Amino acid sequence: MKISIPIVISLSIICSCNNTSDKHEKRNINGNRDSIQLSVKFNSNISEDPVNLLYLDELNDNKTIEFNKTDTFPVTANFVSTTPIFFLDWSLNQNYYLLYPREKVVIRPSNDSLQFLRLNSSMPNRSDELSFFEKLGNHDISFYFNHSSYNIYSKARPNKGDLLMSRLKNKKLQNPANAIAKTDSFYKSRKEFLLDYKKNYKISDTFFQIIEKYIKYDYLADILETLNNADSSLYNRKDLSDSAFSIKDFNCDSCLFIPTYKSALIAYSNFLMKQNNILNFSDSFNLISEFFKNNSREFLLFSILKKQINKQSKVDNTLYLTFKKINSNKTYEIYLEENISYLNNVEQSEISASTIVRDKAGNEYSFQDILEKQKNKVVLIDFWASWCKPCIYELPFSNKLNKKFSKNDVVFIYLSMDKNISDWKASGKDIQSEEENYILLNTFDSPLAKKMKITGIPRYIVIDKQSAIISSDAPRPSDISLYDLIYKLVRK
């Protein structure tokens, strides 16, 4: 496979804490009527944490649902979908569970003696399928331990689980061919594991085929990411991978419910854009229209328009009208219409002026006052709360970034979404930038939160030196790509 000049923007699975008003909300994944029912059975005699599940909705946004321990009766939620859904237990093990439409599942929370969730399904012969990712995670860990020379960048995660977050993220790969070979080796080991699992456990052909694609597209996303981090002059005349891929791999409409397919699909579209030296939204739109088909094309075109919205940019009306003519997904259209209308009618300055924050001394300011102090600086806004475990996990990484860029006109502003001031003050001691630590009054109901559509945290917004929003949903501080983004803005 000979490849010239690649660039990739790869999406990852991200955990977040939702506004409590969203709990147990029914989600329409594909405009359909089949339901997946989840019930959590807590035990009153054992200490158990809440059950927190993450999934990707149709708009490719991460959504979470939290089941809190209230009594011994099951707490139930329904999800409307005609396709299977990958649910991720983000609170403990980062472990996936693949569930089907019309399936009813009772979940037993993890505790001191039970390290993983235990799921009992209404469908027959599902036990081995529901424990698959737990065993795959153990396989992945063993693989990396046995290949310690791989120089893997891996986030620290509690306990075990699927190591999706493990990636070859060397900033500048000096030997990309070697890196690709190692990625190939990991992919082959996973394929062998899946084949052995099918021989030794009871799994359906449907489950096998879905997981086979899940592993394949996770691999392709890794390949593209590795190419993105390599110096193209080192590999533009070499065949880098035994497992070549083509445009046919990225027109799999039946794969859109698989999270790794969406990640690989977006990565490949960006790869093509770089090969064709495409830098603007209009040309990106035209390239996708040419190379991709049907639902995959609609998803990518929607993603381009959504990206404009996330940057608080005015959406190109010509592109939007073109999209409406070829789009068959009403969910995409409703989202775009609502957001375009909102952008056209509300100015950021009005939002900032009407958003009130408070410092620890009890002084109140408009958010506009806070931003005015940071003119000509790169600003990262961190929306967090004391009750949000992922938020607290990210604070040490945020502090390190803050310290690293402290002399480069970069400012970190922390906005707590706590409703209890005492909780905010107690947890805020872990924040290095104490002078830029505020509590957001009205939290999720504040004008700023509504404007930025902040329904889950942690959430990060990056503003450049010209006070323009560069990313309204930036990578987390523990993700090296946030460092890269800030570094580029500092150098401008």
Side-chain angles (χ1 to χ4, degrees), residues 353-478:
S354 57
T355 296
I356 306 302
V357 300
R358 179 184 296 167
D359 65 17
K360 287 195 172 182
N363 302 311
E364 293 188 358
Y365 310 89
S366 74
F367 191 61
Q368 184 174 354
D369 294 333
I370 304 300
L371 293 179
E372 284 289 330
K373 294 192 303 179
Q374 315 303 342
K375 278 192 173 181
N376 301 317
K377 295 181 180 179
V378 176
V379 178
L380 182 136
I381 306 170
D382 181 343
F383 293 87
W384 70 287
S386 63
W387 44 264
C388 171
K389 290 181 181 179
C391 301
I392 301 301
Y393 172 82
E394 293 293 333
L395 285 179
F397 297 97
S398 180
N399 289 336
K400 288 181 181 179
L401 277 181
N402 195 347
K403 185 176 180 180
K404 188 165 292 189
F405 288 106
S406 60
K407 298 179 181 179
N408 298 101
D409 287 332
V410 178
V411 177
F412 285 60
I413 297 176
Y414 298 86
L415 296 182
S416 170
M417 309 297 280
D418 279 295
K419 293 184 178 180
N420 187 308
I421 291 180
S422 298
D423 291 341
W424 162 54
K425 289 183 176 180
S427 294
K429 65 182 184 294
D430 296 324
I431 293 177
Q432 186 180 36
S433 180
E434 187 64 28
E435 67 274 11
E436 299 299 340
N437 181 11
Y438 306 93
I439 189 168
L440 185 64
L441 302 190
N442 298 319
T443 61
F444 290 96
D445 293 322
S446 71
L448 180 63
K450 288 185 176 180
K451 163 71 175 178
M452 305 305 297
K453 296 190 177 298
I454 297 171
T455 59
I457 53 176
R459 176 78 172 272
Y460 305 93
I461 295 175
V462 176
I463 300 174
D464 68 10
K465 294 178 182 180
Q466 288 72 46
S467 301
I469 295 176
I470 298 301
S471 176
S472 62
D473 192 2
R476 295 187 178 192
S478 59

Side-chain angles (χ1 to χ4, degrees), residues 151-257:
N151 193 19
I152 297 294
Y153 170 86
S154 179
K155 283 186 195 177
R157 293 288 185 180
N159 301 308
K160 302 174 183 178
D162 184 9
L163 294 185
L164 271 177
M165 72 294 299
S166 295
R167 292 289 184 263
L168 290 162
K169 285 195 173 180
N170 305 24
K171 191 172 182 183
K172 289 184 179 180
L173 293 174
Q174 296 303 311
N175 192 340
N178 187 44
I180 294 291
K182 291 173 179 178
T183 306
D184 283 340
S185 178
F186 178 55
Y187 172 53
K188 290 173 183 176
S189 75
R190 276 183 145 194
K191 287 201 300 182
E192 290 172 2
F193 174 84
L194 177 60
L195 290 171
D196 289 340
Y197 200 88
K198 183 173 177 58
K199 292 177 183 178
N200 299 318
Y201 295 91
K202 291 182 178 179
I203 62 173
S204 66
D205 290 339
T206 298
F207 182 86
F208 177 85
Q209 292 163 6
I210 292 173
I211 301 302
E212 188 175 38
K213 290 177 180 177
Y214 167 93
I215 291 174
K216 170 186 175 180
Y217 287 109
D218 193 37
Y219 160 71
L220 291 178
D222 272 356
I223 291 290
L224 290 163
E225 183 174 2
T226 303
L227 294 176
N228 181 53
N229 289 326
D231 183 348
S232 60
S233 66
L234 297 175
Y235 63 81
N236 58 2
R237 293 182 299 274
K238 297 179 181 178
D239 291 335
L240 294 180
S241 174
D242 293 333
S243 304
F245 55 88
S246 69
I247 191 65
K248 291 181 180 179
D249 293 310
F250 299 96
N251 274 302
C252 179
D253 287 346
S254 63
C255 301
L256 269 171
F257 72 93

